Amino acid sequence: MNEVLSQDEIDQLLTAISSGDNDSDDFKPVNSARKIKIYDFKRPNKFSKEQLRTVSNMHETFARSTTTSLSAQLRSLVHVHVASVDELTYEEFIRSIPTPTTLAVINMDPLKGNAVLEIDPAITFCMIDRLFGGRGATSSSKNRDLTDIEQEVMEGVIVRLLANMREAWSQVIDLRPRFAQIETNPQFAQIVPPNEMVVLVTLDTKVGDEEGMMNFCIPYLTIEPISSKLSTQFWFSSVRRNSTTQYLGTIKDQLSSVDMDVVAEIGTINLPIRDVLSLRVGDVVRLNSIKVGDPLTLSVGNKKKFNCQPGVVGKKMAVQITGKLEDLDSEEFEELSVEGDETYE
C-alpha cells in the first residue's frame, strides 16, 4: 500500500529540493518489480488464441448440425453446444475422462494421424436406449463396457456425427474423417505420446433429461499442416466465398421450377362501380388508348416485361414476343426469351 505524506513532510521535501541539500538521485522513483511470465517447457503452447477461436467457430457449426441430426435419429430433444476449447497434453486428457467410456478413434484423412471422439457414458446409454425403442433412461450400471451389439449401434451414431464434422471443417479443408474403432479403456487409445499437445473441444450435450459431455481431441501433429488456415480472417472469407458460389446452382435450380403467372394484357380502363355491376354478355367495352394493331403487354408476375402480338398456334390462342419493355441484363433476357421471337401458348 502507498504511504501518504503529511503536510509537514511535504514542506520539508519542498525545502530540501529548493535548497539543493539533497541529491537528485534520492528522488528517482523506484522501478516496479519486473513482470515475469511463467513458461512450462513440459507444456509448450502451440496454438494461438486466434487459432483456438477459429476451432471453436468451426465446432459451433458442428454442434448445430449434430443437434439437428441426433434429434431426428433419436426422435428426442437434443441440444449440443461448444462449452470450451482448450490446449493441454494428451496425458491430461486421458486422465480427465472416466473408465470405461466410449472412445472412437477417428482417421483424419487427408491429415496425418488420428483424433479421438469421447462420449460420456450417460449420453451413450441414453442414445442406445432411445435407439432400442426405450424412453432414453440410462442403465442402472453405467460402469460397464459396451456389448458387441451396443458397439455396433454406437458406431452408426458416430458415423453420422463424422458427416457433420466434415461439413463443419469444409471451410478450412476437405476433411474425410473415417471411423476406425471403438475403445472403452482410455489407456488403449494411445494415438500420440503422452506429452504431445492436443486441442480439446468440449461439447455440452443434452439428450432428453440426460446431460453429459462429448470431447473431441485433436493432436497438434495432425492439425499442424493447416494451422495457417486456422485464422478468423481466413475462416470468415471462406464462409463468404462459399455462401455466394456454393449454393448458387442449387438456388437457380429451385427457382427454375417455380410457377409464374404470365398475362397478356390488351389494355385497361377505369369504370365506375355502377357500370361494372351492369355489365352483361355481349357488351362492348371501349379502350380509348388502344388502337387496332397495337402490341399487347406481357406481364410476368406483377411486372410488365415484354411487348407481344396475339395469334393462333394450331387450335390454341397464343402470343408472340416482339420486344422487351425493361432494360434487363443480357443473361436474364436470354433465360426468359430464346434468341429471336418466341411463341407462347
Side-chain angles (χ1 to χ4, degrees), residues 33-317:
R34 181 181 300 175
K35 294 182 180 179
I36 300 174
K37 183 179 180 181
I38 298 176
Y39 186 83
D40 189 353
F41 287 92
K42 293 182 180 179
R43 291 189 51 182
N45 294 329
K46 295 189 176 182
F47 296 94
S48 66
K49 290 183 179 180
E50 185 181 19
Q51 289 173 332
L52 294 178
R53 194 181 307 114
T54 304
V55 172
S56 178
N57 291 335
M58 291 163 52
H59 288 87
E60 285 288 358
T61 303
F62 169 73
R64 289 191 295 269
S65 301
T66 300
T67 297
T68 303
S69 63
L70 284 183
S71 297
Q73 185 178 13
L74 303 178
R75 297 188 298 279
S76 176
L77 184 62
V78 178
H79 180 66
V80 182
H81 72 275
V82 176
S84 63
V85 177
D86 303 303
E87 181 182 6
L88 66 164
T89 63
Y90 187 67
E91 183 180 16
E92 291 173 328
F93 163 65
I94 292 297
R95 288 180 178 178
S96 67
I97 57 180
T99 302
T101 186
T102 303
L103 277 173
V105 180
I106 309 299
N107 182 277
M108 299 291 283
D109 186 59
L111 300 175
K112 297 180 180 179
N114 297 325
V116 168
L117 177 65
E118 188 264 338
I119 305 177
D120 188 89
I123 299 299
T124 297
F125 287 110
C126 180
M127 290 180 179
I128 292 173
D129 189 67
R130 287 293 306 176
L131 292 172
F132 283 170
R135 298 182 178 180
T138 57
S139 172
S140 57
S141 175
K142 302 176 186 176
N143 247 348
R144 66 175 179 85
D145 293 341
L146 297 176
T147 65
D148 291 342
I149 294 177
E150 290 171 340
Q151 286 195 20
E152 289 292 333
V153 171
M154 285 307 299
E155 180 179 340
V157 174
I158 292 168
V159 168
R160 179 169 292 197
L161 296 182
L162 296 184
N164 299 334
M165 187 177 298
R166 179 176 184 177
E167 179 183 355
W169 281 63
S170 62
Q171 310 296 342
V172 176
I173 186 175
D174 183 17
L175 188 68
R176 297 183 295 275
R178 297 198 309 272
F179 170 80
Q181 63 189 40
I182 287 182
E183 295 288 352
T184 56
N185 190 333
Q187 300 301 325
F188 295 155
Q190 296 295 335
I191 59 174
V192 289
N195 293 330
E196 182 63 35
M197 299 303 295
V198 299
V199 58
L200 180 64
V201 182
T202 302
L203 301 154
D204 272 335
T205 307
K206 184 175 182 180
V207 180
D209 296 329
E210 290 294 331
E211 296 185 27
M213 298 285 187
M214 286 196 297
N215 294 303
F216 186 45
C217 175
I218 316 168
Y220 174 75
L221 293 177
T222 300
I223 208 172
E224 182 182 14
I226 60 170
S227 59
S228 60
K229 296 182 179 180
L230 296 179
S231 65
T232 307
Q233 181 179 2
F234 180 88
W235 191 78
F236 280 110
S237 64
S238 299
V239 171
R240 288 194 298 268
R241 183 171 58 252
N242 289 342
S243 64
T244 56
T245 59
Q246 180 179 1
Y247 303 110
L248 186 60
T250 303
I251 294 174
K252 189 175 179 180
D253 290 341
Q254 293 293 329
L255 290 177
S256 64
S257 60
V258 175
D259 292 332
M260 297 290 294
D261 290 330
V262 180
V263 179
E265 183 181 288
I266 300 176
T268 60
I269 186 174
N270 294 326
L271 291 176
I273 189 65
R274 62 175 177 273
D275 292 344
V276 175
L277 294 176
S278 63
L279 287 175
R280 297 291 183 269
V281 177
D283 290 349
V284 177
V285 179
R286 183 176 179 181
L287 304 176
N288 298 325
S289 59
I290 304 299
K291 297 179 180 179
V292 177
D294 285 351
L296 309 184
T297 301
L298 189 68
S299 298
V300 180
N302 59 352
K303 292 188 176 181
K304 297 179 179 181
K305 294 290 185 179
F306 305 101
N307 286 326
C308 61
Q309 61 183 14
V312 177
V313 175
K315 296 182 179 180
K316 296 182 178 181
M317 297 289 294

